[in-house]
Amino acid sequence: MGLLEQDKIALRLTVPWNPILNVGKIFSLKLIDKHDNSLQNYGHGDYLIMSMTHYLRNGGFSTITMDCVAKTVGQGGIVE
Protein backbone atom coordinates (compact mmCIF):
# COMPACT_ATOMS: atom_id res chain seq x y z
CA MET A 1 0.00 0.00 0.00
CA GLY A 2 2.89 2.36 0.69
CA LEU A 3 3.96 2.16 -2.97
CA LEU A 4 0.72 3.79 -4.15
CA GLU A 5 1.05 7.50 -4.75
CA GLN A 6 -1.37 10.01 -3.25
CA ASP A 7 -2.29 11.31 -6.72
CA LYS A 8 -3.71 7.86 -7.54
CA ILE A 9 -6.60 8.27 -5.05
CA ALA A 10 -9.73 7.89 -7.13
CA LEU A 11 -12.36 8.09 -4.41
CA ARG A 12 -12.60 9.51 -0.89
CA LEU A 13 -15.68 8.20 0.86
CA THR A 14 -17.17 8.70 4.34
CA VAL A 15 -19.48 5.94 5.55
CA PRO A 16 -21.02 4.86 8.88
CA TRP A 17 -18.57 2.84 10.98
CA ASN A 18 -18.47 -0.80 9.91
CA PRO A 19 -16.15 -3.37 11.53
CA ILE A 20 -15.81 -5.48 8.36
CA LEU A 21 -14.06 -2.71 6.41
CA ASN A 22 -10.26 -2.72 6.42
CA VAL A 23 -7.32 -1.59 4.32
CA GLY A 24 -6.76 -3.95 1.39
CA LYS A 25 -10.44 -4.89 1.06
CA ILE A 26 -12.09 -4.55 -2.35
CA PHE A 27 -15.69 -3.37 -2.60
CA SER A 28 -18.09 -2.62 -5.44
CA LEU A 29 -19.60 0.82 -5.89
CA LYS A 30 -22.66 1.37 -8.06
CA LEU A 31 -23.61 4.92 -8.97
CA ILE A 32 -27.03 4.91 -10.60
CA ASP A 33 -28.38 7.77 -12.74
CA LYS A 34 -31.30 9.32 -10.82
CA HIS A 35 -33.22 9.98 -14.05
CA ASP A 36 -32.71 6.56 -15.62
CA ASN A 37 -32.20 3.66 -13.19
CA SER A 38 -30.88 1.42 -15.97
CA LEU A 39 -27.77 3.63 -16.48
CA GLN A 40 -24.69 3.58 -14.27
CA ASN A 41 -22.85 6.87 -13.83
CA TYR A 42 -19.13 7.40 -14.37
CA GLY A 43 -17.12 6.08 -11.43
CA HIS A 44 -18.94 2.81 -10.81
CA GLY A 45 -16.76 -0.26 -10.34
CA ASP A 46 -14.53 -2.08 -7.88
CA TYR A 47 -12.30 -0.11 -5.51
CA LEU A 48 -9.44 -1.09 -3.21
CA ILE A 49 -9.30 0.60 0.23
CA MET A 50 -5.86 2.21 0.43
CA SER A 51 -6.14 4.02 3.77
CA MET A 52 -8.82 4.77 6.30
CA THR A 53 -9.45 6.96 9.33
CA HIS A 54 -11.92 6.05 12.06
CA TYR A 55 -13.88 8.80 13.80
CA LEU A 56 -15.26 7.26 17.00
CA ARG A 57 -17.51 9.39 19.15
CA ASN A 58 -18.62 8.71 22.71
CA GLY A 59 -22.24 7.59 22.64
CA GLY A 60 -22.65 9.00 19.17
CA PHE A 61 -22.46 8.27 15.49
CA SER A 62 -19.06 6.96 14.34
CA THR A 63 -17.77 7.12 10.77
CA ILE A 64 -14.91 5.92 8.58
CA THR A 65 -13.26 8.03 5.89
CA MET A 66 -11.62 5.85 3.23
CA ASP A 67 -9.21 6.70 0.44
CA CYS A 68 -9.72 4.24 -2.40
CA VAL A 69 -8.13 3.44 -5.75
CA ALA A 70 -9.51 1.51 -8.71
CA LYS A 71 -9.01 -2.24 -8.34
CA THR A 72 -6.87 -2.31 -11.49
CA VAL A 73 -4.30 0.23 -10.21
CA GLY A 74 -1.67 -2.48 -9.65
CA GLN A 75 -2.46 -4.31 -12.88
CA GLY A 76 -1.76 -1.41 -15.23
CA GLY A 77 -5.10 -2.04 -16.92
CA ILE A 78 -7.91 0.24 -17.94
CA VAL A 79 -10.94 0.53 -15.68
CA GLU A 80 -14.11 -0.52 -17.49
Side-chain angles (χ1 to χ4, degrees):
M1 292 298 173
L3 297 175
L4 296 175
E5 300 167 15
Q6 285 299 107
D7 64 342
K8 300 288 188 247
I9 294 173
L11 178 69
R12 178 167 285 153
L13 186 63
T14 300
V15 297
W17 186 80
N18 187 334
I20 66 168
L21 295 175
N22 56 26
V23 171
K25 187 171 191 79
I26 294 175
F27 67 94
S28 293
L29 180 68
K30 293 183 182 178
L31 301 171
I32 305 297
D33 189 313
K34 69 179 181 177
H35 300 294
D36 183 355
N37 289 340
S38 65
L39 294 177
Q40 292 185 347
N41 283 338
Y42 175 79
H44 74 279
D46 294 333
Y47 288 89
L48 170 70
I49 300 173
M50 188 177 97
S51 67
M52 60 189 336
T53 305
H54 298 272
Y55 295 99
L56 303 174
R57 293 175 174 56
N58 252 348
F61 186 70
S62 300
T63 60
I64 300 171
T65 299
M66 303 180 292
D67 290 332
C68 307
V69 293
K71 180 177 79 169
T72 57
V73 74
Q75 300 169 358
I78 297 173
V79 178
E80 297 175 11

